[in-house]
Amino acid sequence: MDRLVEGLGEVVEYAAERGVTIGFEPEPGMLIDSMQSFEALVQRIDRPNLRLTLDIGHLQCQGETPLDAMIRRWAPRLVNVHIEDMRLGAHEHLMFGEGQIDFPPVLQALAEVGYTGGVYVELSRHSHEGPTAARKAFEFLERKMGNTNLH
């Protein structure tokens, strides 16, 4: 952790001098793998330009739920949101509807906190069917957005 804090601290400082925001993504299996470990990192490097790339599937697979509460908790730091379906205990990016995530509360929470950044579909295992996967994802999310102000 000390090495990460030292190196990332330099990156964050360099970026701040240039008006650049850093979006850090906790990743299962890495040193910073959860929101708890991200919070420990932020306590050591608490700079306004060190922000959060929140992966909704990562929260699900690690049991960091309820998802909407996590979004509300971390809203002030959100700079990017990755979204896909996942199951508890398995870091496998799934097409929407194939996992366990209940998407309407997630999308509603993003709208409620006034999130206006990017929501990026991350289906890394679906590149062989890119246009089809993109269409399915768009149609799924469009149906689930319902009455949210997220568009």
Side-chain angles (χ1 to χ4, degrees):
M1 178 67 103
D2 291 339
R3 288 178 52 200
L4 175 61
V5 168
E6 181 182 339
L8 183 58
E10 290 178 20
V11 170
V12 169
E13 182 67 32
Y14 183 85
E17 292 168 1
R18 289 153 180 80
V20 173
T21 298
I22 302 296
F24 194 99
E25 180 181 358
E27 181 76 26
M30 299 294 189
L31 178 64
I32 306 301
D33 60 349
S34 65
M35 296 314 301
Q36 182 178 352
S37 59
F38 179 73
E39 186 168 27
L41 178 65
V42 168
Q43 287 174 355
R44 293 186 61 184
I45 308 175
D46 190 9
R47 296 293 307 262
N49 69 319
L50 177 58
R51 306 284 296 279
L52 173 64
T53 294
L54 185 67
D55 191 307
I56 301 304
H58 293 172
L59 294 175
Q60 175 69 29
C61 81
Q62 298 193 130
E64 295 182 275
T65 56
L67 301 176
D68 56 334
M70 294 301 284
I71 291 167
R72 288 181 186 93
R73 158 68 178 90
W74 289 99
R77 284 231 186 236
L78 286 181
V79 69
N80 298 298
V81 173
H82 292 176
I83 192 167
E84 67 280 308
D85 215 344
M86 277 198 201
R87 295 183 186 104
L88 183 63
H91 184 197
E92 183 180 358
H93 295 243
L94 302 172
M95 178 57 73
F96 299 102
E98 294 178 5
Q100 299 169 320
I101 296 177
D102 182 18
F103 286 96
V106 168
L107 298 171
Q108 185 62 42
L110 288 169
E112 284 175 14
V113 301
Y115 178 71
T116 59
V119 176
Y120 305 99
V121 174
E122 188 176 8
L123 294 171
S124 53
R125 296 185 177 132
H126 292 76
S127 61
H128 64 284
E129 60 173 345
T132 301
R135 185 177 59 257
K136 286 180 186 177
F138 181 84
E139 291 169 356
F140 179 90
L141 290 171
E142 189 173 50
R143 284 191 310 273
K144 296 297 180 182
M145 280 195 276
N147 295 327
T148 70
N149 295 326
L150 189 66
H151 293 284

